[in-house]
């Protein structure tokens, strides 16, 4: 494989040479044979005292100061252009704050390009506290998250999203965030299908900053639920060295479902939804309940006192109030809607110019710990721990069976018999209310270490003046640990049900009556851990190759390697499939090695210094990347250890065209891209470890009497990469007639193929002849015993839409009067036109745009067509005391969309739009430095005034009096005070019937309601 990779690298250099020749040839021909057709622009005069720059790389027009060029997300070539060919949104800390954002969940909820199954900290049941971007509404795995332009480890347990947790990067450590809303596999490799979320950390800071904020919901409908954050940022350095150290802590209290009307009851029919309450609760047997006297007081029926519930005086089938707690269990009364969380992060950065800019050493280190108090309803006791002769649970798996010999069984006549002859009562419902919620606190420990060298190459001569190189190593690791509390041990539960001793037996016929000994036999705490490691090494060059009449041809080329090492270690009770209330699964172990080469060329066809009508500036960018994958998966009970290899080679072409000189109508930039993207299967998708499920199915052969069967969901070591074909086209216009206005519109189109997805048990049974090895049947009866459901490259999605933005900056001085400050108006939005999902080959496409999708679909989450924000901010006039003001408002808009398509008719009910208003005001104290002050008996020049010969004279210089440098002015100067309020009108999120947990769309909204915040930071 090594020889193969070297051959491909040589082929790539040949490709690079071919692209250069093809790009240069027409330009040179035009210069020789058709130069009269071009309008040669005269060079501006050289400024006095400035020598003309030589016409050699780098290209600089005579007399022009060279503009600093930087690498912008979406390209590896530095540029000085403000508007590039790729649609990139940049958010600096002040921009993030002006959006009303206080944490990572807020950020994703408020970005218009975010949609679909966004993972955030609003998810209490099944969430682990991670916050994972999801651009365009595709799965989170299709969005590549980078830190300082390089990959980092995904979450330790892997999970379905397979993404990077940006909650582990506090805003105090962020310099800016670039969001590339375009495919970029040709630049960054796998995962960059929907776009790139690139977070740049702080590497240069001078002084000391101490800050803190407090947030609370006690001014709205939600109860008191405060958030606190504090940080310390310190930096020193000179023209050669930069050292930065940052420490940040964050803590948030819980908000419970009962605190807000919309989330307080799983009985959602009054809102237009379903009754999502559970039938699993203590005191219920088959269609009967304990009489209210016992039901509401924890009483227990007399053991062995009647033949069955129909004959017992302790049970009734009369439920007079079907919407009350006597009818069904309302889990929302106990669960949190937004769990509590805390986080501590420490970061250090070091940069040192060893040999001026020719050799620079850099190193970074970050450690983050986060804790998330996830919690679900008390454990429902299902499926049955006892099995029938076919090995299946009784009563469809929704209840439990209790032996007649149990010390608390009130019945004497059996409903069924176990294979060993033990008589049992079936249809008993129970839930661990006595033990409390199924708490699943999750702890992340995340480390990131960077070290490398970079430098300029101008010491080798003028030709290399723009050449730069960088080589580095990164090690990133994420460890995740989950404690699942109040889970049921099947073996312990079986023993406790068979027990005839009241002191140690388990009573499932009421709640609160089990002894500590009985509870200790049944309830356990599981310990699950996972780890994802990512070592990475790279070497890259960029610079200018040679000049064309329009400017220099620039390039970037590099190689890199990264490894992925993932393991998931469930509790021993999980790996033996011996729990109730938790997902049982096997140990997972997988690893991968990825070698990559990439190259990029930017060719200027015309430019402001060499152009002709209609082509004021035109440049083309060619990029290509090839990656070689080698992965290994460990053996499981279903499949042996596996090994697979594949490679991917993807191009991208980008175009930037300014047809007219800005002096005519303003700056008009047309841009477009075409790219082929890919996504390599995640290690969790490749791992053949088994996860257990119990779906309801129909046996086409009619040999299985019970519709609920056992399903084993497994990954597929033979999965191939997903592929995507993408293009975009846009325009950016800054009109001359209205200074300060910039408008942009971009159309984007994504066609994603071979999405890795599970077939589903019913699909496999319907096509059993094609998948004979995936269905196991009883050799005698023919009944289904187990269906194995591996993932395959089957599904596809086609989606397109429009991104738009308008920014207008109104400077009051343009009217010729006094300076009254500056107004900034911003509109940023996304319109989703189409999202066609093809679940399997041959099936019709389903347009999911404008829908909330239930979990029965491959791609889950919500896909509203319209999302946008509108903001207006005023900055005070400079050089006055009002210059420190920054006051404004931001309105966030999510348009109407249809409820889950599972509702049937007319695509379900309509979810109303959600509009919230955020207000913010901040003031930076920037007081003038203290000056000398007169003091009685002292002159301005510091001399002493004395009377001599009747006249006052100045003698003997002394110290000049000044304001105290440690007084109130010094403490106030450099202080920023910010106050704000989110959701000013305390709007409930829209009701969504298909949202199981809290009756609203947790991925795009939140239930906190109105809350205020105060932030103070002091810069020394």
């Amino acid at each position: 494989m090594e020889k193969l990779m070297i051959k491909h690298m040589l082929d790539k250099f040949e490709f690079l040479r071919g692209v250069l020749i093809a790009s240069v040839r027409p330009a040179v021909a035009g210069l020789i044979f058709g130069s009269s057709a071009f309008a040669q622009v005269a060079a501006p005069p050289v400024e006095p005292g400035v020598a003309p720059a030589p016409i050699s790389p780098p290209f600089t027009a005579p007399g022009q100061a060279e503009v600093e060029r930087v690498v912008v997300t979406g390209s590896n070539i530095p540029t000085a252009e403000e508007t590039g060919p790729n649609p990139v949104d940049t958010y600096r800390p002040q921009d993030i704050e002006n959006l009303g954002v206080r944490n990572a969940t807020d950020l994703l909820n408020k970005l218009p390009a975010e949609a679909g199954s966004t993972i955030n900290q609003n998810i209490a049941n099944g969430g682990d506290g991670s916050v994972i971007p999801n651009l365009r509404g595709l799965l989170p795995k299709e969005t590549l998250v980078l830190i300082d332009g390089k990959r980092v480890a995904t979450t330790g347990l892997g999970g379905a999203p397979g993404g990077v947790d940006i909650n582990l990067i506090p805003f105090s450590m962020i310099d800016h965030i670039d969001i590339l809303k375009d495919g970029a596999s040709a630049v960054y490799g796998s995962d960059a299908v929907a776009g790139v979320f690139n977070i740049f950390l702080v590497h240069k800071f001078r002084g000391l900053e101490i800050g803190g904020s407090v947030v609370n919901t006690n001014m709205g409908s939600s109860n008191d639920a405060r958030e606190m954050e504090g940080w310390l940022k310190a930096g020193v350095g000179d023209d050669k060295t930069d050292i930065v150290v940052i420490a940040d802590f964050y803590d948030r209290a819980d908000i419970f479902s009962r605190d807000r009307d919309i989330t307080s009851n799983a009985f959602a029919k009054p809102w237009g939804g379903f009754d999502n309450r559970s039938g699993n609760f203590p005191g219920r047997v088959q269609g009967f309940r304990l009489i209210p006297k016992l039901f509401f007081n924890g009483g227990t029926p007399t053991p062995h006192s009647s033949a069955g519930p129909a004959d017992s005086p302790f049970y009734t089938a009369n439920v007079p109030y079907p919407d009350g707690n006597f009818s069904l269990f309302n889990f929302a009364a106990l669960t949190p809607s937004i769990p509590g969380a805390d986080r501590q992060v420490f970061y250090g950065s070091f940069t040192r110019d060893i040999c001026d800019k020719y050799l620079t050493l850099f190193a970074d280190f970050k450690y983050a710990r986060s804790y998330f108090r996830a919690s679900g309803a008390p454990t429902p006791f299902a499926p049955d721990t006892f099995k029938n002769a076919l090995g299946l649970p009784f009563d469809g798996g929704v209840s439990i069976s209790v032996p007649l010999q149990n010390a608390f069984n009130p019945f004497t006549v059996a409903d069924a018999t176990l294979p060993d002859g033990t008589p049992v009562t079936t249809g008993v419902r129970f839930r661990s209310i006595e033990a409390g919620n199924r708490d699943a606190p999750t702890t992340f420990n995340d480390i990131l270490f960077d070290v490398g060298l970079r430098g300029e190459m101008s010491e080798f001569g003028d030709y290399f003046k723009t050449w730069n190189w960088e080589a580095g190593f990164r090690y990133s690791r994420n460890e995740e640990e989950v404690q699942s509390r109040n889970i049921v041990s099947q073996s312990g539960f079986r023993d406790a049900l068979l027990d005839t001793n009241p002191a140690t037996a388990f009573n499932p016929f009421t709640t609160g009556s089990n002894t500590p000994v009985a509870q200790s036999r049944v309830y356990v705490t599981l310990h699950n851990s996972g780890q994802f490691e990512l070592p990475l090494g790279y070497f890259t060059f960029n610079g200018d190759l040679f000049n064309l009449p329009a400017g220099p041809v620039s390039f970037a080329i590099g190689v890199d390697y990264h490894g992925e090492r993932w393991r998931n270690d469930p509790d021993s009770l999980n790996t033996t499939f011996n729990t109730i209330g938790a997902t049982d699964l096997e140990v997972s172990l997988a690893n991968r090695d990825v070698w990559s080469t990439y190259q990029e060329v930017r060719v200027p066809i015309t430019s402001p210094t060499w152009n002709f009508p209609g082509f004021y500036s035109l440049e083309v960018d060619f990029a290509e990347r090839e990656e070689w994958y080698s992965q290994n998966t460990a053996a499981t009970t279903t499949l042996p250890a596996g090994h697979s290899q594949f490679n991917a080679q993807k191009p991208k072409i980008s175009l930037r065209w300014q047809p007219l000189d800005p002096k005519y109508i303003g700056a008009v930039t047309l841009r477009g891209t075409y790219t082929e993207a890919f996504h390599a299967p995640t290690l969790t998708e490749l791992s053949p470890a088994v996860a257990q499920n119990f779906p309801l199915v129909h046996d086409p052969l009619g040999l299985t009497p019970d519709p609920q069967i056992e399903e084993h969901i497994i990954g597929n070591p033979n999965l191939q990469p997903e592929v995507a074909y993408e293009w975009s086209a846009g325009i950016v216009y800054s009109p001359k007639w209205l200074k300060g206005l910039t408008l942009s519109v971009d159309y984007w189109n994504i066609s994603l193929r071979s999405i890795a997805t599970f077939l589903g048990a019913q699909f496999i049974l319907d096509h059993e002849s094609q998948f004979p090895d995936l269905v196991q049947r009883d050799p005698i009866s023919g009944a289904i015993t187990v269906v194995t459901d591996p993932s395959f490259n089957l599904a596809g999605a086609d989606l397109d839409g429009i991104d738009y933005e308008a920014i207008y900056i109104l400077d009051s001085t343009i009217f010729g009067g006094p300076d009254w400050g500056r107004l900034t108006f911003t509109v940023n939005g996304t319109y989703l036109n189409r999202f066609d999902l093809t679940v399997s080959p041959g099936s019709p496409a389903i347009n999911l745009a404008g829908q909330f999708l239930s979990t029965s679909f491959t791609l889950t989450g919500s896909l509203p067509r319209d999302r946008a924000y509108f903001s207006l901010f005023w900055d005070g006039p400079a050089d006055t005391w009002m210059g420190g003001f920054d006051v404004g408002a931001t309105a966030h808009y999510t348009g109407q969309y249809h409820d889950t398509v599972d509702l049937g008719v007319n695509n379900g009910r309509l979810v109303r739009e959600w509009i919230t208003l955020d207000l913010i005001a901040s003031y930076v104290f920037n007081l003038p430095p203290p000056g000398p002050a007169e003091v009685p008996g002292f002159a301005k020049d510091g001399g002493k005034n004395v009377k001599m010969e009747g006249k006052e004279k100045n003698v003997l210089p002394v110290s000049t009096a000044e304001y105290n440098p440690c007084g109130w002015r010094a403490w106030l100067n450099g202080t920023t005070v910010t106050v704000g309020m989110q959701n000013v009108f305390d709007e409930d999120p829209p009701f969504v019937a298909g949202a199981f947990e809290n009756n609203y769309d947790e991925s795009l909204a939140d239930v906190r309601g109105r809350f205020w915040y105060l932030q103070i930071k002091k810069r020394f």
Side-chain angles (χ1 to χ4, degrees):
M1 183 170 181
E2 192 172 315
K3 291 181 179 179
L4 179 64
M5 191 185 74
I6 294 172
K7 176 183 180 298
H8 280 292
M9 289 176 64
L10 294 175
D11 291 342
K12 287 198 165 276
F13 283 106
E14 185 65 23
F15 163 82
L16 176 61
R17 186 178 69 86
V19 169
L20 292 176
I21 294 174
S23 304
V24 172
R25 185 174 295 153
V28 174
L31 179 63
I32 295 173
F33 299 108
S35 58
S36 61
F38 293 84
Q40 183 68 39
V41 179
V46 178
E47 296 178 9
V50 178
I55 306 301
S56 61
F59 182 88
T60 306
Q64 283 187 334
E66 186 178 350
V67 181
E68 181 184 4
R69 299 194 292 181
V70 296
V71 175
V72 179
T73 301
S75 173
N76 288 309
I77 300 176
T79 182
E81 297 291 349
E82 292 185 6
T83 302
N86 296 296
V88 179
D89 287 347
T90 298
Y91 293 90
R92 298 194 175 276
Q94 187 60 50
D95 303 321
I96 295 172
E97 195 168 280
N98 287 351
L99 283 176
V101 168
R102 303 309 306 168
N103 52 52
T105 295
D106 280 351
L107 178 62
L108 296 192
N109 279 357
K110 295 177 184 294
L111 289 177
E114 279 283 324
S117 51
T118 296
I119 305 301
N120 58 37
Q121 291 200 343
N122 289 340
I123 303 171
N125 186 1
D128 60 6
S130 58
V131 181
I132 302 175
N134 179 21
L135 299 175
R136 305 302 187 205
L138 291 168
L139 290 171
K141 67 178 182 177
E142 313 291 354
T143 298
L144 177 62
V145 177
L146 305 174
I147 296 180
D148 286 332
K150 297 184 284 291
R151 293 175 177 269
V152 289
T154 62
T155 53
L157 286 176
V164 175
D165 182 7
I166 66 171
N167 177 60
L168 300 173
I169 312 168
F171 295 146
S172 61
M173 298 180 184
I174 294 176
D175 180 80
H176 67 280
I177 300 174
D178 280 352
I179 300 176
L180 172 64
K181 298 181 289 188
D182 194 21
S185 290
V187 179
Y188 301 110
S190 178
D191 309 343
V193 175
V196 178
F197 207 92
N198 196 357
I199 301 173
F200 292 88
L201 303 181
V202 174
H203 297 287
K204 185 185 289 287
F205 185 79
R206 297 288 189 274
L208 174 67
E209 179 181 290
I210 300 175
S213 66
V214 60
V215 177
N216 214 316
T217 61
N218 57 3
M219 294 182 68
S221 297
S222 296
N223 287 342
D224 187 348
R226 58 101 187 99
E227 298 180 31
M228 295 189 300
E229 184 173 11
W231 67 89
L232 184 148
K233 183 187 303 184
V236 297
D238 52 30
D239 58 344
K240 290 182 176 292
T241 306
D242 283 290
I243 301 174
V244 179
V245 176
I246 304 175
D248 184 284
F249 79 89
Y250 171 82
D251 186 87
R252 182 188 66 214
D254 305 76
I255 295 179
F256 288 87
S257 300
R258 60 179 177 267
D259 293 338
R260 195 86 178 179
D261 285 344
I262 191 172
T263 59
S264 62
N265 201 325
F267 182 67
K269 285 187 175 181
W271 297 82
F274 303 107
D275 189 350
N276 292 320
R277 294 174 299 167
S278 172
N280 263 318
F281 56 87
R284 181 180 177 189
V285 178
Q286 299 162 13
F288 298 86
R289 290 159 178 74
L290 283 175
I291 57 176
K293 179 180 179 181
L294 298 181
F295 184 89
F296 289 107
N297 295 296
T300 186
T302 303
H304 306 106
S305 58
S306 62
D311 303 322
S312 174
F314 304 109
Y315 286 88
T316 179
N318 181 27
V319 183
Y321 303 106
D323 59 344
N325 291 333
F326 188 57
S327 172
L328 295 167
F329 172 70
N330 176 29
F331 55 82
L334 302 176
T335 56
S337 58
I338 301 181
D342 63 71
R343 181 193 64 211
Q344 303 83 39
V345 188
F346 304 94
Y347 166 73
S349 175
F350 172 79
T351 307
R352 172 69 178 178
D353 291 341
I354 299 174
C355 297
D356 199 14
K357 296 296 182 180
Y358 305 126
L359 183 63
T360 300
L361 170 68
F362 62 90
D364 305 316
F365 177 79
K366 181 178 76 73
Y367 168 75
R369 175 199 172 274
S370 72
Y371 183 80
F372 183 72
R373 295 188 289 274
S375 184
T379 301
F381 280 43
D384 199 346
T385 188
F386 293 110
K387 302 295 190 294
N388 59 24
L390 296 176
L392 299 173
F394 293 96
D395 197 22
V398 297
S399 61
I400 59 175
S401 301
V402 182
L404 290 183
Q405 67 192 57
N406 177 270
F408 301 99
N409 194 327
F411 310 121
T412 58
V413 177
D415 298 309
T417 303
L418 299 182
D420 65 359
T422 302
V424 295
T425 298
T426 62
V428 179
R429 304 293 187 97
F430 191 76
R431 186 179 288 269
S432 61
I433 297 175
E434 60 189 5
N437 284 356
R438 270 178 296 172
D439 295 329
T442 302
T443 302
F444 285 104
N445 286 282
D446 185 87
I447 66 170
L448 176 68
F449 173 71
D450 275 325
V451 64
L453 297 168
R454 61 172 173 255
E456 300 175 354
M457 299 182 64
S458 56
E459 62 175 336
F460 295 104
D462 285 345
Y463 179 81
F464 298 99
K465 189 174 181 180
T466 60
W467 284 45
N468 303 282
W469 63 274
E470 181 172 322
F473 171 78
R474 164 172 286 185
Y475 177 76
S476 177
R477 185 178 74 222
N478 184 283
E479 297 175 349
E480 182 177 0
E481 181 180 351
V482 180
Q483 290 187 9
S484 301
R485 300 170 182 167
N486 300 326
I487 302 300
V488 175
S489 164
Q490 286 200 40
S491 56
F493 184 45
R494 276 194 300 269
D495 293 342
L497 288 180
L498 290 166
D499 200 334
T500 58
N501 182 356
T504 55
F506 192 87
N507 182 2
F509 295 96
T510 188
T511 186
S513 66
N514 284 302
T515 65
V517 175
Q519 291 190 43
S520 66
R521 299 175 69 181
V522 174
Y523 300 121
V524 296
T525 296
L526 307 179
H527 297 269
N528 299 332
S529 63
Q531 177 179 283
F532 194 103
E533 286 183 297
L534 188 143
L536 180 150
Y538 64 95
F539 184 65
T540 182
F541 276 100
N542 66 67
D544 295 340
L545 288 173
F546 53 84
N547 285 331
L548 293 178
V553 174
S554 305
F555 82 101
I557 192 167
V559 296
D560 66 46
Y561 160 83
H562 77 266
E564 299 175 13
R565 314 282 183 260
W566 175 67
R567 68 175 300 121
N568 181 5
D569 295 301
D571 194 275
S572 59
L573 282 177
N574 290 126
T575 59
T576 55
F577 293 78
N578 198 23
T579 72
I580 297 176
T583 300
D584 289 331
L585 69 166
E586 295 181 293
V587 173
S588 299
L589 182 63
N591 62 71
R592 166 185 287 156
D593 295 300
V594 184
W595 295 87
S596 307
T597 66
Y598 59 88
Q599 57 280 318
E600 185 178 353
V601 180
R602 180 173 299 149
V603 181
I605 308 301
T606 64
S607 71
T609 60
W610 196 76
N611 58 72
F612 60 92
F615 291 88
Y616 177 73
S617 177
L618 175 65
E619 66 180 30
V620 183
D621 190 294
F622 303 93
E624 188 181 50
R625 186 182 184 102
E626 187 158 18
E627 297 195 330
W628 295 266
Y629 289 79
S630 175
Q631 46 259 327
N632 302 285
T633 55
T636 66
T637 56
T638 56
L639 290 174
H643 173 74
S644 62
Q645 292 182 340
F646 52 78
N647 61 28
Q649 181 178 4
K650 299 300 175 185
K652 181 172 185 176
I653 181 170
S654 306
L655 177 72
R656 179 184 174 275
W657 174 27
Q658 286 185 277
L660 300 173
D661 189 327
K663 69 181 181 182
Y664 297 117
I665 63 171
V668 179
T669 302
L670 303 175
R671 61 189 180 189
T673 66
Y674 170 79
T675 184
E676 295 178 9
F678 70 100
H679 172 77
T682 65
L683 295 183
T684 56
E685 291 171 332
L686 292 171
S687 173
V690 174
Q692 192 179 40
N693 190 31
F694 292 93
L696 296 173
V697 299
H698 166 70
D699 185 359
L701 302 182
L703 301 176
T704 306
D706 196 317
Q708 187 167 45
I709 55 97
E710 183 176 355
E711 178 187 26
H712 290 174
I713 300 174
I714 65 173
N716 183 351
N718 297 313
L719 284 177
Q720 295 297 305
E722 303 167 357
V723 294
Y725 305 92
E726 309 179 43
W727 64 277
S728 68
I731 181 172
V732 182
Y733 179 43
S734 298
K736 182 181 179 180
W737 46 269
L738 189 57
K739 186 178 180 180
L741 175 65
T742 301
L743 305 171
S744 69
V745 177
D746 289 280
Y747 170 82
W748 49 270
N749 186 294
I750 302 174
S751 180
L752 182 58
R753 296 291 177 264
S754 300
I755 301 175
T757 182
F758 294 102
L759 297 174
Q762 188 63 64
F763 183 88
I764 293 172
L765 291 173
D766 291 340
H767 301 84
E768 186 174 349
S769 61
Q770 300 177 35
F771 309 105
D773 296 333
L774 300 183
V775 180
Q776 298 180 33
R777 293 181 176 271
D778 185 276
I780 300 175
S781 66
I784 300 167
T785 56
V786 175
V787 172
T788 302
D789 185 6
S791 55
F792 287 96
N793 294 103
L794 290 179
D798 295 279
L799 55 156
D800 66 352
I802 294 175
D803 296 323
Y804 54 90
E805 185 176 56
I807 301 175
Y808 179 51
I809 302 174
L810 176 62
D811 192 331
S812 61
T813 59
I814 65 173
F815 300 109
D819 185 0
W820 294 103
R822 186 177 68 173
L823 285 172
T824 302
F825 175 75
T826 303
V827 178
N828 186 294
T830 294
Y831 173 76
L832 177 62
N833 176 58
R834 176 178 59 117
F835 196 119
D836 288 342
L837 174 66
T838 303
V839 179
S840 60
S843 63
I846 306 170
N847 186 8
L848 302 178
Q851 302 281 354
F852 176 87
L853 310 181
S854 74
T855 55
S856 63
F857 279 85
T858 303
L859 303 179
T860 61
S862 56
L863 297 169
R865 291 186 182 273
D866 296 288
R867 298 201 73 212
Y869 66 80
F870 312 82
S871 67
L872 179 64
F873 278 83
W874 173 73
D875 297 307
D879 301 324
T880 70
W881 68 271
M882 298 177 66
F885 275 111
D886 186 8
V887 181
T890 301
H892 301 273
Y893 172 78
T894 298
Q896 295 180 342
Y897 53 103
H898 290 280
D899 219 327
T900 173
V901 294
D902 283 357
L903 289 175
V905 182
N906 296 325
N907 291 326
R909 57 181 294 278
L910 196 64
V911 177
R912 68 171 173 83
E913 69 280 350
W914 195 42
I915 304 174
T916 59
L917 176 66
D918 302 337
L919 300 178
I920 183 173
S922 67
Y923 186 78
V924 181
F925 291 89
N926 190 15
L927 304 177
E934 289 189 53
V935 177
F938 290 84
K940 290 181 180 180
D941 60 1
K944 186 174 182 181
N945 298 328
V946 296
K947 285 188 177 182
M948 298 180 64
E949 298 176 358
K951 297 181 179 180
E952 193 173 73
K953 293 186 177 181
N954 180 257
V955 297
L956 191 60
V958 296
S959 300
T960 301
E962 295 185 356
Y963 293 122
N964 183 359
C966 294
W968 67 270
R969 283 175 172 265
W971 283 101
L972 198 57
N973 201 33
T975 299
T976 302
V977 179
T978 303
V979 294
M981 181 175 289
Q982 271 195 20
N983 196 353
V984 173
F985 299 108
D986 199 27
E987 289 286 333
D988 268 331
F991 172 78
V992 179
F996 165 73
E997 186 178 15
N998 278 307
N999 297 330
Y1000 79 98
D1001 184 357
E1002 297 167 325
S1003 66
L1004 298 180
D1006 72 69
V1007 76
R1008 291 175 299 179
R1010 179 193 300 120
F1011 72 86
W1012 59 268
Y1013 56 90
L1014 169 66
Q1015 176 178 292
I1016 300 176
K1017 62 181 178 182
K1018 162 66 178 171
R1019 181 84 176 264
F1020 294 92

